[in-house]
Amino acid sequence: MTPREVVREAVARLRAAGVASPEYDAAELLAHVLGTTRSRLGLDAPELTADQAAAYDALVTRRANREPLQHLTGTTGFRYVDLQVGPGVFVPRPETELLAGWAIEHVTRIEQPVVVDLCTGSGAIARAIADEVPAAKVYAVELDEAAHGWAARNLAGTGVELRHGDMADAFPELDGTVDVVVCNPPYIPLEAWESVAPEARDHDPHLALFSGQDGLDAIRVLERRAAVLLKDGGVVGAEHADAQGESAPAVFAATGRWRDVRDNRDLAGRPRFVTARLAASV
């Protein structure tokens, strides 16, 4: 069969399986098998070899079973960098690029900025900041052992200082010296288990997904730790679920430690991440 024919068949299989982006995924998987990129994929090329067709069919079957596309290709793009991902690490979402962009915008205004990325996961945000702001000193921490291993791969050679540990007491030597704290914490309420897409629920580490009955437990920990890490006037940004556009900012507003508490929307107009500035000490 030609590339066009196998992709057409794969699209139908993926759509029937409930995959959200069957055309994109089918093309990405074929490009992966052929060792090229989706943009360079020639659907009018000669027929696939038997080995290529078999390899593609196996990947399409796995994707139809809702295994994440990025686990099958082994990589994902995040802003201007490519990350290695696979089983055991949360696959960074496009929406998180907005949070990273917010952090980068603040960091570029500061001479020799210090940045801490809590719950770094794959290392996506820390890697993007180090890539786009070479003058920044970036620190990152991850609790999950498997995810920490992926972060170590992605942050190797970047200058980012990565540690394996809990964000609740991370980097005590930096207390009161940090300019920007950024975090993509777990934020899904335990009661929302059934509503989570199979790609995330069945393949992403639960430590990166669920955070107490209301989904805000990790954000409460973040608020407390960021208040200690940041210097006066330092800023924090944290992603949250689109249903938490009021409750996530309220975590910060309720303590009296923060000013300029506001929520920020994604490109689809949905509440996506909260930002706040540490008030000056009295």
Side-chain angles (χ1 to χ4, degrees):
M1 297 177 70
T2 67
R4 187 177 299 277
E5 290 170 334
V6 297
V7 165
R8 185 183 303 119
E9 181 181 288
V11 168
R13 290 171 60 189
L14 296 179
R15 182 177 290 116
V19 173
S21 52
E23 294 87 357
Y24 177 92
D25 290 18
E28 278 288 310
L29 290 175
L30 184 57
H32 177 67
V33 168
L34 299 180
T36 185
T37 63
R38 188 168 52 88
S39 62
R40 296 183 178 181
L41 185 63
L43 295 181
D44 294 320
E47 292 188 0
L48 275 64
T49 67
D51 287 346
Q52 289 171 336
Y56 184 60
D57 181 72
L59 288 175
V60 172
T61 297
R62 291 170 65 185
R63 185 69 188 101
N65 289 330
R66 307 302 290 273
E67 193 169 339
L69 172 68
Q70 298 85 351
H71 285 193
L72 302 178
T73 63
T75 62
T76 190
F78 188 84
R79 287 182 69 87
Y80 303 107
V81 300
D82 290 323
L83 303 169
Q84 298 180 54
V85 293
V89 70
F90 181 82
V91 176
R93 307 302 196 252
E95 293 86 352
T96 306
E97 295 185 16
L98 298 176
L99 174 61
W102 167 86
I104 289 166
E105 180 182 350
H106 279 275
V107 170
T108 54
R109 303 171 186 168
I110 303 168
E111 185 176 354
Q112 298 182 323
V114 177
V115 184
V116 172
D117 177 18
L118 302 175
C119 304
T120 195
S122 65
I125 296 177
R127 173 73 181 274
I129 294 171
D131 177 69
E132 296 181 49
V133 192
K137 179 56 182 175
V138 184
Y139 299 81
V141 67
E142 173 55 44
L143 178 60
D144 184 85
E145 186 172 356
H148 177 268
W150 287 104
R153 297 183 187 96
N154 289 319
L155 297 175
T158 64
V160 175
E161 183 171 332
L162 172 67
R163 294 186 190 174
H164 183 205
D166 194 331
M167 73 165 170
D169 56 7
F171 303 109
E173 75 277 14
L174 298 180
D175 288 357
T177 69
V178 177
D179 297 292
V180 178
V181 170
V182 65
C183 183
N184 183 12
Y187 50 70
I188 299 174
L190 290 171
E191 64 183 18
W193 166 270
E194 292 295 336
S195 67
V196 179
E199 286 87 346
R201 186 186 65 224
D202 299 338
H203 297 280
D204 283 334
H206 288 181
L207 188 63
L209 297 177
F210 300 101
S211 188
Q213 291 302 315
D214 62 359
L216 296 172
D217 282 2
I219 290 180
R220 294 185 182 99
V221 175
L222 164 66
E223 184 277 327
R224 292 192 294 269
R225 187 68 194 126
V228 176
L229 283 169
L230 289 169
K231 60 177 61 173
D232 289 349
V235 293
V236 60
E239 187 168 322
H240 59 68
D242 53 12
Q244 296 167 339
E246 294 183 1
S247 58
V251 170
F252 290 85
T255 68
R257 288 192 282 252
W258 305 90
R259 57 188 175 90
D260 302 333
V261 179
R262 60 172 55 95
D263 204 61
N264 302 266
R265 295 180 177 268
D266 61 22
L267 297 179
R270 297 169 298 197
R272 182 53 54 196
F273 64 96
V274 58
T275 57
R277 185 178 298 276
L278 187 66
S281 310
V282 178

